[in-house]
Amino acid sequence: MELDLELQRRLIRTVAERVIAHTDELVALDRAIGDGDHGLNMKRGFEAVLADLDKFAAMPLGEALKGVGMALVMKVGGASGPLYGSLFMALGKALPEQAGRAGLAQAFAAAVEAVKARGKSDVGQKTMIDVLVPALAVLQDTAVDLPERLCSAAQQAATATIPVRALRGRASFLGERSVGHMDPGARSASLMICAVMDVMEGRA
Ligand code: ADP
Ligand code: MG
C-alpha cells in the first residue's frame, strides 16, 4: 500500500499518541485483572516509536510497520509486547506495495494469525484477539463502509470482553473473578484501530 509520507507519519504518530493518552485507563483495566502495567508498557513502547518517528515516516509503509513492531517487542515487554510486535511485523511483511482494501484485509489476516500463533490463543479467551478478529471481519466484508463501522465494531468488541472469563494471560489466573472487567489488551487494540480510522477520515 502506498501512502503519501505525510499521511504515513500522521498515522504512526496518532496511533502512538492515542495509546499514550490512555495510559491511565489501560493501567486501571490491567490493575483489575492483571498486574497493572499494560498502560505503562504500551506507553514505553510507543514513546520509543515516537522517538524514531522521522525514521519510520520516511520508510516504505511495510518497512515502517516492521520497524514499529520491532520497537514494540524491545520496549513494551510483558505479554503484550511480543504479541503487538508480531502483529505489526507480520502486517508489514504481508502488506503489498500497492494494496487496496482486499490487500489490506489479507495482510491484516496474516497479522492476526501471527498473534494467535504467538499467544497460542483464539477468540473468546478475553484478549486482544477478541478485538482483532471482529475488526478483520469488518475489513473483509466489502459490503460494509469501513470508516463508519471499523472503529465502532472494535469498541463494541472490547466492551464485549467484559462478561467473558479469561482463558489466556495473567487474567486467566483469576478464573471467575476475571468476569466483569474489560480486557486491557482488547481496549488498547480498539484504541489503535479507532486512531487509524480517525486519520483515514481526516479527524486526526
Ligand atoms: P502482562 O500480562 O505480561 O502484564 P500486559 O499487561 O502488557 O502484559 O498485557 C496484557 C494483555 O495481553 C491482556 O489484556 C491480553 O489482551 C493480552 N494477552 C495476554 N496473553 C495473551 C495471549 N496468550 N494471547 C493473546 N493476547 C494475550
Ligand atoms: Mg500486565
Side-chain angles (χ1 to χ4, degrees), residues 30 35 37-38 41 78-80 83 119 121 127-128 169-170 183-185:
D30 196 36
D35 55 357
D37 62 355
H38 187 59
N41 290 345
S80 58
L83 292 163
S121 41
T127 71
M128 59 178 71
R170 235 174 250 286
D183 177 64

Side-chain angles (χ1 to χ4, degrees), residues 42-178:
M42 297 294 281
K43 177 171 189 264
R44 194 167 54 240
F46 278 106
E47 277 173 351
V49 170
L50 285 179
D52 274 338
L53 185 61
D54 287 341
K55 186 180 86 181
F56 294 136
M59 291 173 165
L61 181 60
E63 294 307 310
L65 289 168
K66 282 191 232 169
V68 167
M70 258 137 66
L72 296 179
V73 168
M74 286 191 294
K75 297 286 180 181
V76 174
S80 58
L83 292 163
Y84 276 133
S86 298
L87 181 79
F88 280 89
M89 285 192 282
L91 189 60
K93 206 168 143 201
L95 204 63
E97 252 178 53
Q98 303 272 357
R101 181 160 163 187
L104 180 62
Q106 254 173 28
F108 195 69
V112 174
E113 280 312 308
V115 179
K116 285 184 183 177
R118 164 75 50 175
K120 300 189 173 51
S121 41
D122 211 332
V123 276
Q125 298 174 327
K126 198 181 182 95
T127 71
M128 59 178 71
I129 300 275
D130 289 355
V131 165
L132 298 175
V133 166
L136 173 62
V138 172
L139 264 179
Q140 286 170 331
D141 182 354
T142 47
V144 163
D145 181 42
L146 258 200
E148 211 174 291
R149 288 282 299 126
L150 194 51
C151 171
S152 58
Q155 283 173 331
Q156 279 167 23
T159 303
T161 64
I162 294 175
V164 176
R165 177 186 170 148
L167 296 173
R168 285 289 179 279
R170 235 174 250 286
S172 66
F173 306 155
L174 292 179
E176 270 305 310
R177 281 183 294 136
S178 65

